[in-house]
Amino acid sequence: MDVAVLAYDGVFDSGLSALLDVLDGANAMRGELPKPPPAWRVSTIGFRRRVRTGAGHLVETLPVDTAKETDLLLVPALAERRPDALIAHVSGPDAEPVRQLVAAARARHTPVASACTGTFLLAESGILDGRRATTSWWLAPYFRKRYPAVTVDESRMVTTSEGVTTAGAAFGHVDLALAIVRMGSPALADLVARYLVVDERPSQAAYTISSALAQTDPTLAAFERWARLHLDQPISIADAARAVGVSERTLQRAVRRTLGTSPVRFVQDLRVEQASHLLRTTGQPLEVIARKVGYEHPNTLRVLLRERTGETASSLRGR
């Protein structure tokens, strides 16, 4: 497979190097398998011979025209953490060549993949419209608001939809690269992960900070504060709406608009977050923790922990 990795001014250094290093490692380890898959021919392309990364390093590139026959285009993230500045950049004139390259690749039916803030470049080019995608969990509210035609599931670490693959937060570039290797050889992907000491991370849910997401909307922030005070009690959404001074419908809309979920599910996320914290930091029995986060039966909490974090209560306790 011919893989073109785009380097552009301001690219996230670790994202670019993670993609290159994992694919290089896969090529180096192919021979350890009884039936090695074909090699990945990887080239770094750019709009100039040298581009400057977000950390100020210079990267030598091949012309982007060399990627017209590539089998896969990889677009690493932009080194920008501020949501407003990120959106201004990906929608502005400096990013137009990237948007055009991505759109042209999909017009030729070339698979395209990106991670973290790079998913905004894909969405801005229009190739994610009508598709499922993931992005950095903490940027999801901004992504969802700007790109309503995209179905966002920020809990996923890697998502593939009709030829476009997206991955989560910054070091999701490693997960993205391993997913690409896995498409060619699951055994090789497992081998590379072992050498790199990378655990399988199918979900970002265990890393999500619900309060950080809530701060993007005043109504949601007030609801989150009220819910945390009542986690050990049965929570009525009608009572919550009255407490924050809005109608129940307004509260539901605010949560849906910002998080793409329901108030009930958001409360469940808060309960799972608190339970995970107590499991990691105390020796309290699961039965006690379950009651502290509003569940009479610990089994209910066990199921939610597995569903939302991909881990068991005992594995969280082990941390």
Side-chain angles (χ1 to χ4, degrees), residues 286-287 289-291 293-303:
L286 185 64
E287 291 78 5
I289 292 174
R291 287 195 294 273
V293 297
Y295 295 116
E296 182 178 351
H297 302 292
N299 228 29
T300 304
L301 180 58
R302 282 194 184 94
V303 172

Side-chain angles (χ1 to χ4, degrees), residues 98-130:
V98 181
R99 297 194 303 268
Q100 291 179 347
L101 177 68
V102 168
R106 283 309 296 150
R108 297 190 298 269
H109 303 289
T110 300
V112 175
S114 187
C116 192
T117 55
T119 60
F120 281 71
L121 284 165
L122 269 54
E124 200 68 36
S125 74
I127 71 166
L128 288 177
D129 288 355

Side-chain angles (χ1 to χ4, degrees), residues 227-236 264 267-276 278 284-302 304:
R228 284 191 184 278
L229 293 174
H230 298 82
L231 282 184
D232 61 339
Q233 307 164 25
I235 288 182
S236 161
V264 170
V267 171
Q268 289 176 339
D269 289 341
L270 294 176
R271 285 173 162 157
V272 167
E273 179 189 279
Q274 179 64 8
S276 299
L278 292 173
Q284 296 173 4
L286 185 64
E287 291 78 5
V288 173
I289 292 174
R291 287 195 294 273
K292 284 188 173 184
V293 297
Y295 295 116
E296 182 178 351
H297 302 292
N299 228 29
T300 304
L301 180 58
R302 282 194 184 94
L304 274 175

Side-chain angles (χ1 to χ4, degrees), residues 58-164:
L58 292 177
V59 176
E60 298 268 351
T61 68
L62 297 173
V64 293
D65 286 347
T66 62
K68 285 186 177 179
E69 302 303 320
T70 192
D71 298 307
L72 173 65
L73 173 64
L74 295 180
V75 183
L78 175 71
E80 178 56 72
R81 296 174 179 83
R82 299 164 298 169
D84 291 345
L86 169 63
I87 291 171
H89 181 89
V90 299
S91 62
D94 289 345
E96 184 175 359
V98 181
R99 297 194 303 268
Q100 291 179 347
L101 177 68
V102 168
R106 283 309 296 150
R108 297 190 298 269
H109 303 289
T110 300
V112 175
S114 187
C116 192
T117 55
T119 60
F120 281 71
L121 284 165
L122 269 54
E124 200 68 36
S125 74
I127 71 166
L128 288 177
D129 288 355
R131 290 179 168 86
R132 291 177 292 103
T134 189
T135 189
S136 293
W137 64 263
W138 56 278
L139 288 171
Y142 306 94
F143 191 101
R144 187 174 283 109
K145 181 179 180 180
R146 183 164 180 84
Y147 310 113
V150 185
T151 301
V152 186
D153 180 2
E154 68 272 26
S155 69
R156 300 289 299 171
M157 189 63 79
V158 180
T159 295
T160 298
S161 180
E162 300 178 41
V164 183

Side-chain angles (χ1 to χ4, degrees), residues 30 33 35-38 40 178-192:
R30 289 170 53 248
L33 298 180
K35 295 182 179 179
W40 286 266
L178 285 172
I180 291 164
V181 175
R182 188 167 286 110
M183 292 175 188
S185 171
L188 181 56
D190 291 341
L191 183 64
V192 174

